[in-house]
Amino acid sequence: MASKQVPLIETVDLRKSYFSEELETAVLHGLNLTINEEEFVSIMGPSGSGKSTLMHILGFLDQPTSGKYLFRGEATRTMTDDELAAIRATRVSFVFQAFNLLPRTTVLENVMLPLLYHPTIPASERRDRAMHAIETVGLGDRATYYTNQLSGGQQQRTAIARALVTEPDVIFADEPTGNLDSKSGNQVMEAIQELHAAGGRTIILVTHEQNTAQHAKRIIHLRDGHIDSDTTKFKRLNAKKNHNLTK
Amino acid sequence: MLVIDTFQAARKSLDRNRNRAMLTMLGVIIGVGSVVLMTSVGASMEELILGQISSIGAQSMVIFPGQQEGAEGTVQAGFDSITFSDIEALEKLDTVTSIAPAMFLPVPQATYGRETTEPRVIGTVPNYFRNRELTLSAGRLLEDADIRGARNVVVLSSEIVDDLFGKQDPIGKRIKIGSRFYEVVGTLESVGTQFFQNADEFVFIPLSTARAQTGQKYLNVVSLQAVGNFDLAQSDVETLLRKRHGIVGDDDFIVRTSAQANDILGAVSLGLTLFITTIAGISLIVGGIGIMNIMLVAVSERTREIGLRKAVGAKRRDILLQFLIEAIALTVIAGMIGVFLGLALAGLVAGIVDKFLPTYDFVLSLPSIGIALCMAFATGLGFGLYPARKAALLSPMNALRYE
Ligand SMILES: Nc1ncnc2c1ncn2[C@@H]1O[C@H](COP(=O)(O)OP(=O)(O)OP(=O)(O)O)[C@@H](O)[C@H]1O
Ligand SMILES: [Mg+2]
């Protein structure tokens, strides 16, 4: 398969600066990163190290300042706005720390939202697909609830259902449990893990918590916009060893 | 994204933000509604007032005894300055014709059988009806023979007919005016109010009869028409009267012409138009600011919504179309409600005012409705679409982070 030869995500000297009134804040300082299909990657690092910034670029929510971002071997820099929109609609999904659900809207409608913009899924299938995704995250009995009638964990699971309803290749989750207590956090992590276990999907997860990160096979540490370490565990023992090395 | 989905998204978004939609619509409704109301009422008033100032015809002149206002304070000098011999002299001028002298008789009431009324009695000549454009509804007007014979005949205005005869035919009947009996020979069509006076409560008797009855030697008003050059005719009349009255200073008569009437007409009309335009403009600005405010307040929430929609795959076109549909739906629906409400209120006003001023009519001002709707569209689209377009151009993250 072609996907075996071409990595899903590849960055070359990826840089990002924010500009405000002539002032440049360099956040990412030339990242080289390769992520293959069906990987489960955790990104860790201190606050302000650029994790979210990286995720937004990889998730097609923002543009890098310089460097290359290849998605399935295709350079993204030259893509038109419509091409980028098409990738967001079909290939990638994002789960935000702040949920970002539509206010005053039901769970079902929130989950159906991406399907409105999906180029190939027919309108007649939207409801079924959305219900299926909602059941996948264990919210079947809450489908008609308004999002403000849900707990934080339920809201985040709604956001996860919204992320997986289009059956994307990659799901980006930026501290999905950051606003949740440990019990809700565990439920959300379970949902994410099951998604990966079901196969065929790449998951990239930002987290602060060591035990959350342990769900992933590969952990990338960022520090001040550089990759500090990038370790893949093959066995549990190795993982611990690697982890200790990076400390 | 399918077009129907875009409509759905717009509909849901309006539904979700019902308060904001309502307030925006309120702005449009107030703006459009008050413009429609004000311009309609204004146009009705204009018609009403201009109807009162009925033009006296381009070749017409009216001579009153007395002094030009402001010439000598408010002294009511010279109320008896125009005499029958003045009329004879005027009749010799080549430049004027259709001379119609008239005198007002202080008669308290007229009766027929048990019915009484209080007419205003005018003694005049046949020319009067032509100069005033009064038309017969039955019988005949005063004729030269009536004048020559100083006959006791009378022509009645429509309200006097109603008062005295109701549904009966008045022609040939004899009515008592003051202490004398007169035979009704004709009745006039209704003319409504003129100069805010009821013009339908007159009775007209021959001038000679009136003169014989009262012994009055002067005339209260003379109307006449110019032949050929109007200015020449006017100066002929003025010169003649000044010479006859031996005037060195201020005139003891006033000549009103259609030129003056048209000047007044123009000024009144212009004033009204300015007044209405000002009020309509203020209404539009008030409504527009309302719309603007609501939409600007909503910008940050809407920008985040746009960020989210883009994050899950919306194209710029999808966003713009949705917002366009939202804005159009809001302004069109609210605009129509506004027009409807404005017209309904104007109709109500017309209904009420008409009870007191029968000549007040409901007038529809189509151009102002058009302008009001266009302004509502422009503000609705401008302030709805411009921020949406800006947001749609941002990267999804920048839109999501917008504050
Ligand atoms: N829109 C922005 N404009 C300017 N600077 C920004 C912007 N977003 C982020 N930054 C800066 O970039 C740096 C990295 O931010 P980022 O959000 O990527 O960090 P992070 O690793 O996700 O931190 P955290 O763990 O706290 O979420 C920070 O110093 C931040 O101040
Ligand atoms: Mg972050």
Side-chain angles (χ1 to χ4, degrees):
Chain A
M1 272 201 283
S3 58
K4 285 287 172 245
Q5 289 126 37
V6 183
L8 181 72
I9 284 172
E10 188 177 1
T11 71
V12 182
D13 194 29
L14 192 75
R15 288 167 193 276
K16 176 73 177 177
S17 297
Y18 292 106
F19 297 90
S20 58
E21 292 154 12
E22 312 278 299
L23 209 76
E24 179 179 356
T25 317
V27 177
L28 300 179
H29 303 281
L31 300 187
N32 298 299
L33 189 65
T34 304
I35 296 172
N36 288 307
E37 260 180 280
E38 300 195 25
E39 270 197 277
F40 189 159
V41 182
S42 271
I43 299 178
M44 299 192 72
S47 183
S49 56
K51 306 183 294 293
S52 296
T53 303
L54 175 62
M55 291 283 275
H56 295 152
I57 293 170
L58 297 184
F60 292 90
L61 300 184
D62 214 347
Q63 299 270 14
T65 310
S66 70
K68 273 191 200 161
Y69 173 21
L70 306 172
F71 187 78
R72 289 183 179 282
E74 272 189 68
T76 59
R77 176 166 288 282
T78 53
M79 287 182 179
T80 64
D81 193 71
D82 278 6
E83 286 171 329
L84 294 173
I87 291 180
R88 291 191 283 259
T90 57
R91 301 280 187 207
V92 304
S93 290
F94 217 96
V95 178
F96 301 90
Q97 182 175 350
F99 315 150
N100 280 333
L101 299 172
L102 270 185
R104 301 179 284 283
T105 306
T106 62
V107 170
L108 182 61
E109 280 183 297
N110 263 291
V111 176
M112 282 168 67
L113 184 66
L115 298 180
L116 288 185
Y117 303 108
H118 197 288
T120 54
I121 294 175
S124 56
E125 286 180 29
R126 282 180 197 151
R127 179 169 292 266
D128 289 348
R129 281 178 187 253
M131 277 313 297
H132 180 71
I134 291 168
E135 274 154 21
T136 306
V137 297
L139 284 178
D141 56 339
R142 294 284 188 277
T144 58
Y145 280 47
Y146 284 85
T147 49
N148 61 355
Q149 298 168 324
L150 300 178
S151 73
Q154 289 167 335
Q155 289 187 47
Q156 193 58 300
R157 280 187 282 155
T158 304
I160 291 171
R162 181 181 66 193
L164 60 89
V165 73
T166 53
E167 303 190 345
D169 301 343
V170 205
I171 292 177
F172 294 89
D174 189 355
E175 298 195 52
T177 61
N179 280 346
L180 304 176
D181 61 57
S182 59
K183 184 158 166 280
S184 317
N186 286 339
Q187 284 176 336
V188 166
M189 278 318 298
E190 266 168 40
I192 289 176
Q193 244 191 319
E194 276 165 24
L195 229 87
H196 185 248
R201 205 148 286 135
T202 308
I203 292 181
I204 303 175
L205 171 80
V206 168
T207 181
H208 269 118
E209 293 157 48
Q210 195 62 50
N211 55 343
T212 306
Q214 291 308 322
H215 291 293
K217 285 217 185 73
R218 178 179 171 192
I219 301 178
I220 297 170
H221 272 268
L222 282 191
R223 186 179 295 281
D224 296 336
H226 295 284
I227 295 180
D228 199 31
S229 73
D230 183 348
T231 51
T232 308
K233 58 182 174 186
F234 296 99
K235 289 180 222 158
R236 217 177 150 67
L237 225 153
N238 268 357
K240 269 195 178 154
K241 204 168 135 196
N242 273 340
H243 173 72
N244 287 341
L245 274 174
T246 60
K247 273 268 155 171
Chain B
M1 197 185 191
L2 303 172
V3 175
I4 179 138
D5 292 330
T6 317
F7 273 93
Q8 282 286 336
R11 192 188 61 74
K12 280 183 190 156
S13 163
L14 289 178
D15 199 41
R16 201 164 54 236
N17 303 293
R18 208 172 293 153
N19 288 343
R20 187 178 69 216
M22 291 295 191
L23 286 172
T24 311
M25 285 178 62
L26 200 65
V28 176
I29 291 171
I30 290 175
V32 173
S34 47
V35 169
V36 170
L37 172 65
M38 288 319 298
T39 49
S40 173
V41 168
S44 294
M45 277 170 47
E46 188 166 335
E47 242 182 38
L48 174 78
I49 293 174
L50 297 188
Q52 300 298 318
I53 309 171
S54 58
S55 170
I56 56 175
Q59 290 294 93
S60 286
M61 263 178 257
V62 181
I63 309 167
F64 299 98
Q67 288 185 330
Q68 199 78 9
E69 233 175 276
E72 235 358 67
T74 50
V75 184
Q76 215 201 349
F79 65 93
D80 56 357
S81 58
I82 298 176
T83 61
F84 282 88
S85 47
D86 285 337
I87 302 302
E88 278 158 29
L90 282 171
E91 272 162 357
K92 293 202 181 83
L93 286 176
D94 301 332
T95 47
V96 295
T97 181
S98 189
I99 296 163
M103 80 172 48
F104 305 145
L105 281 78
V107 174
Q109 62 178 25
T111 53
Y112 174 72
R114 248 174 284 158
E115 304 296 332
T116 2
T117 185
E118 288 169 12
R120 288 190 278 160
V121 183
I122 293 184
T124 189
V125 297
N127 284 341
Y128 185 92
F129 301 98
R130 180 170 6 135
N131 291 355
R132 289 285 159 123
E133 293 172 358
L134 297 171
T135 49
L136 266 181
S137 67
R140 61 170 180 84
L141 294 172
L142 296 180
E143 287 170 359
D144 288 337
D146 298 326
I147 312 296
R148 280 196 302 275
R151 290 182 188 156
N152 289 338
V153 292
V154 65
V155 171
L156 306 181
S157 288
S158 60
E159 268 185 36
I160 303 301
V161 174
D162 289 345
D163 287 351
L164 293 183
F165 295 96
K167 295 221 160 23
Q168 298 177 57
D169 179 13
I171 306 297
K173 306 269 164 38
R174 288 168 65 79
I175 65 170
K176 197 174 174 191
I177 300 173
S179 55
R180 293 191 190 195
F181 283 93
Y182 293 80
E183 183 192 342
V184 179
V185 293
T187 58
L188 299 178
E189 296 278 7
S190 166
V191 284
T193 57
Q194 281 185 348
F195 298 96
F196 299 98
Q197 284 190 342
N198 191 338
D200 288 329
E201 52 185 24
F202 290 100
V203 304
F204 302 93
I205 61 173
L207 180 63
S208 49
T209 314
R211 187 182 182 185
Q213 197 190 321
T214 60
Q216 183 177 312
K217 291 189 176 58
Y218 57 93
L219 294 152
N220 298 95
V221 63
V222 182
S223 61
L224 39 81
Q225 308 256 343
V227 180
N229 188 300
F230 185 87
D231 292 337
L232 188 66
Q234 185 180 352
S235 82
D236 272 1
V237 167
E238 285 169 351
T239 313
L240 177 88
L241 290 178
R242 279 184 198 128
K243 202 168 118 203
R244 289 184 52 82
H245 297 180
I247 285 172
V248 277
D250 295 324
D251 288 346
D252 59 0
F253 61 92
I254 302 159
V255 178
R256 290 244 182 277
T257 65
S258 62
Q260 292 167 332
N262 285 338
D263 281 353
I264 297 171
L265 212 84
V268 170
S269 165
L270 181 69
L272 275 171
T273 307
L274 285 179
F275 174 72
I276 294 161
T277 312
T278 308
I279 289 188
I282 291 171
S283 311
L284 271 184
I285 290 170
V286 169
I289 288 175
I291 301 169
M292 227 158 72
N293 254 322
I294 309 284
M295 292 206 155
L296 288 180
V297 165
V299 164
S300 45
E301 188 189 330
R302 301 239 77 182
T303 302
R304 283 194 291 274
E305 179 190 328
I306 289 169
L308 176 61
R309 286 180 185 274
K310 286 197 74 175
V312 298
K315 297 183 162 76
R316 274 176 201 160
R317 194 179 50 234
D318 300 330
I319 303 283
L320 289 180
L321 199 58
Q322 179 194 328
F323 276 68
L324 185 72
I325 293 169
E326 277 185 40
I328 288 180
L330 271 191
T331 45
V332 165
I333 293 172
M336 288 193 310
I337 295 176
V339 168
F340 180 79
L341 220 66
L343 289 180
L345 284 176
L348 194 73
V349 169
I352 294 170
V353 176
D354 194 60
K355 295 254 184 297
F356 307 101
L357 286 170
T359 47
Y360 184 98
D361 285 321
F362 173 73
V363 179
L364 192 84
S365 172
L366 281 178
S368 62
I369 292 179
I371 290 171
L373 282 177
C374 287
M375 290 289 285
F377 281 151
T379 34
L381 286 187
F383 289 91
L385 270 196
Y386 176 70
R389 202 187 85 92
K390 250 174 69 181
L393 288 174
L394 295 175
S395 76
M397 211 52 230
N398 285 337
L400 270 169
R401 263 197 296 245
Y402 186 89
E403 270 170 0

